């Protein structure tokens, strides 16, 4: 305990009130949600009415900025004295390369139908400064196209479904945009699996609200250089990839202040992006389960879902697979991160290599069956 003189400005009267009181040192940590309670021995409680914004709002903004500062999912913070290389090696033991473990992976798929789920940004395409230019390479497109010939394949993304389709341009895939709130399958003519024309939009009632928030955000964020607002149909993305870090707190406050008027919307974070989404219980994990059910694999033990993604929002899908005890989550990351995925790949190029190996393995298996 230390004796401190705390100066509290009174905005209404234009004076400073100095209060002498005993405070624990922990009070001066970055974020303390509540003031100290009254207690015997000379403690004082400063009522929240004196400065409601300084504690609660300030702490929340600081927490958001800290989260934005980290890549997502959050980097693993070592609790030991391991060096960075040792820390990475320790992480790799628990999340080995899917390329190095490829033979074990395909061995575990014997007798099962593989179903592929792929994130887009950071997985099939690199993360770029301008999200409108996140193009996948022709080689990656060919790899995805080949995979879809042998396995049901879905793109699960936070992007607008139509936007990601304009990047991928493969009609034989399933597309789950807006974090799975806008799902559409290939036409029945181009799909050999059940319910090829599936269409599911669990948040349709939020469309007018999303459009309204998008327009407000466009105006409100003009004061933050580099901020880019994107309408992803059932969610709004505020990209801060090109925003200077000193402006992040201002940007967060602008977004959060708007949401005060929309209690049915919530703020989440992805990789270099803030996202406004409906409060319904729907995410990429729910989309994965819905697509498996649509394909006729809801309760099947003869299916192996494989989900590849790089973002915090992909963790919902990784968690579903882990809880099912069925399927593989593969995190795309060059650094150790907290994740529910079982395997890892470092970058989109390795994703492409993994997909190509999967196709080669399947072709070889089918050729072997033909010779028997």
């Amino acid at each position: 305990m230390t004796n401190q003189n705390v100066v509290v400005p009174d905005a209404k009267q234009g004076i400073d009130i100095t209060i002498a009181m005993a405070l624990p040192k922990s009070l001066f940590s970055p974020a303390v949600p509540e003031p100290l309670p009254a207690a015997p021995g000379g403690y004082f409680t400063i009522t929240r009415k004196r400065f409601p914004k300084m504690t609660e709002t300030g702490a929340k903004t600081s927490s958001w900025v800290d989260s934005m500062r980290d890549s997502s999912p959050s980097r693993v913070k070592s609790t030991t004295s391991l060096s960075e290389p040792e820390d990475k090696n320790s992480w790799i033991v628990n999340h080995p390369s899917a390329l190095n473990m490829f033979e074990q992976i395909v061995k575990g798929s014997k007798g099962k139908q593989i179903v592929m789920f792929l994130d887009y940004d950071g997985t099939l395409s690199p993360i770029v400064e301008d999200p409108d230019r996140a193009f996948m390479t022709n080689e990656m497109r060919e790899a995805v196209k080949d995979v879809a010939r042998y396995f049901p394949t879905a793109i699960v993304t936070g992007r607008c479904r139509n936007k990601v389709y304009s990047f991928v341009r493969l009609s034989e895939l399933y597309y789950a945009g807006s974090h799975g709130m806008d799902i559409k399958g290939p036409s029945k003519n181009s799909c050999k699996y059940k319910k090829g024309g599936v269409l599911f939009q669990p948040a349709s009632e939020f469309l007018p609200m999303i459009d309204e928030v998008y327009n407000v955000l466009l105006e409100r964020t003009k004061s933050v250089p580099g901020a880019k607002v994107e309408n992803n149909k059932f969610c709004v993305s505020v990209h801060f990839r090109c925003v200077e870090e000193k402006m992040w707190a201002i940007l967060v406050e602008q977004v959060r202040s708007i949401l005060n008027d929309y209690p049915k919307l919530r703020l989440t974070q992805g990789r270099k992006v803030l996202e406004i989404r409906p409060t319904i219980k729907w995410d990429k994990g729910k989309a994965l389960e819905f697509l498996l059910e649509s394909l006729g694999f809801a309760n099947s033990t003869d299916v192996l879902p494989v989900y590849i993604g790089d973002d915090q929002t992909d963790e919902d899908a990784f968690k579903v697979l882990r809880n099912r005890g069925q399927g593989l989550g593969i995190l795309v990351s060059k650094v150790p991160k907290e994740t529910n995925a079982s395997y890892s790949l470092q970058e989109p190029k390795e994703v492409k290599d993994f997909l190509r190996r999967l196709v080669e393995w399947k072709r070889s298996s089918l050729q072997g069956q033909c010779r028997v």
Side-chain angles (χ1 to χ4, degrees):
M1 305 288 283
T2 58
N3 291 323
Q4 302 285 343
N5 288 329
V6 179
V7 179
V8 182
D10 190 319
K12 291 183 179 180
Q13 299 183 23
I15 60 174
D16 289 341
I17 305 171
T18 302
I19 306 174
M21 56 185 173
L23 299 174
K25 292 181 180 179
S26 61
L27 181 61
F28 298 97
S29 58
V32 180
E34 298 286 347
L36 288 173
Y43 294 97
F44 285 82
T45 297
I46 304 175
T47 63
R48 295 171 70 91
K49 292 181 180 179
R50 280 290 189 192
F51 53 128
K53 300 291 183 184
M54 292 296 290
T55 53
E56 184 176 6
T57 303
K60 286 182 178 179
T61 300
S62 177
S63 177
W64 273 103
V65 171
D66 287 342
S67 180
M68 292 162 71
R69 199 171 283 124
D70 294 330
S71 59
S72 50
S74 303
R75 288 190 62 157
V76 172
K77 297 177 177 60
S78 177
T79 57
T80 70
S81 58
L82 293 176
S83 65
E84 187 170 329
E86 290 174 321
D87 204 17
K88 185 172 183 177
N89 289 339
S90 175
W91 185 82
I92 286 293
V93 169
N94 294 313
H95 307 89
S97 166
L99 286 171
N100 293 341
M101 301 298 291
F102 184 80
E103 294 302 325
Q104 179 179 317
I105 290 173
V106 294
K107 184 178 179 180
S109 70
K110 186 176 181 180
K112 298 181 179 180
Q113 171 65 63
I114 293 177
V115 181
M116 296 298 301
F117 298 90
L118 304 167
D119 180 33
Y120 185 75
D121 293 273
T123 299
L124 299 182
S125 74
I127 296 294
V128 294
E129 287 190 353
D130 184 355
D132 288 335
R133 300 189 63 80
F135 304 118
M136 67 194 304
T137 64
N138 290 331
E139 291 81 4
M140 179 68 85
R141 183 175 294 102
E142 283 301 312
V144 174
K145 184 175 183 177
D146 288 342
V147 163
R149 285 195 181 104
Y150 299 104
F151 316 107
T153 302
I155 306 294
V156 187
T157 175
R159 296 272 199 157
C160 171
R161 174 169 55 81
N162 291 337
K163 181 71 172 182
V164 79
Y165 181 82
S166 72
F167 285 143
V168 180
R169 303 197 307 274
L170 294 174
S171 61
E172 57 266 45
L173 307 184
Y174 290 82
Y175 289 88
S178 303
H179 300 287
M181 288 180 283
D182 188 10
I183 300 176
K184 191 176 188 305
S187 64
K188 292 183 179 180
N189 293 333
S190 62
C191 182
K192 60 183 177 181
Y193 304 104
K194 294 182 179 180
K195 297 187 179 180
V198 62
L199 176 65
F200 185 62
Q201 297 176 333
S204 296
E205 64 181 281
F206 291 91
L207 281 175
M209 190 182 299
I210 291 293
D211 288 339
E212 186 176 323
V213 169
Y214 168 71
N215 289 322
V216 174
L217 277 169
L218 276 179
E219 290 299 316
R220 194 74 62 87
T221 58
K222 284 182 177 178
S223 61
V224 180
K228 183 177 179 62
V229 183
E230 183 179 15
N231 189 335
N232 285 313
K233 192 169 183 177
F234 292 99
C235 61
V236 178
S237 299
V238 182
H239 299 275
F240 57 90
R241 301 174 188 182
C242 300
V243 177
E244 291 187 25
E245 188 171 328
K246 64 183 180 181
M247 298 294 291
W248 288 1
I250 295 174
L251 182 62
V252 169
E253 272 307 298
Q254 288 179 341
V255 176
R256 291 182 63 241
S257 65
I258 292 171
L259 288 186
N260 288 337
D261 298 326
Y262 298 91
K264 291 186 178 181
L265 299 178
R266 62 190 174 102
L267 180 62
T268 63
Q269 184 196 337
R271 189 170 175 181
K272 292 291 185 179
V273 64
L274 298 171
E275 294 180 307
I276 294 91
R277 300 158 62 179
T279 54
I280 64 170
K281 293 181 179 180
W282 197 265
D283 51 40
K284 290 184 176 181
K286 296 290 186 183
L288 182 152
E289 292 179 313
F290 174 83
L291 284 167
L292 285 176
E293 181 177 354
S294 298
L295 289 164
F297 297 123
N299 300 309
S300 174
T301 58
D302 298 329
V303 63
L304 185 73
V306 178
Y307 190 106
I308 307 178
D310 76 307
D311 198 90
Q312 178 66 45
T313 56
D314 297 310
E315 289 297 315
D316 294 316
F318 295 152
K319 191 178 297 183
V320 165
L321 295 181
R322 187 173 288 274
N323 290 341
R324 286 171 67 103
Q326 182 186 40
L328 305 174
I330 302 176
L331 174 69
V332 183
S333 177
K334 289 186 176 181
V335 297
K337 296 179 181 180
E338 298 170 358
T339 181
N340 284 290
S342 303
Y343 297 94
S344 63
L345 292 168
Q346 291 203 14
E347 58 188 350
K349 180 183 180 300
E350 287 199 352
V351 174
K352 179 185 65 180
D353 292 342
F354 179 82
L355 297 179
R356 282 178 169 174
R357 285 190 66 180
L358 200 59
V359 170
E360 291 170 2
W361 164 78
K362 187 63 176 179
R363 284 175 178 165
S364 178
S365 299
L366 292 176
Q367 289 171 359
Q369 292 175 10
C370 291
R371 286 195 296 266
V372 174

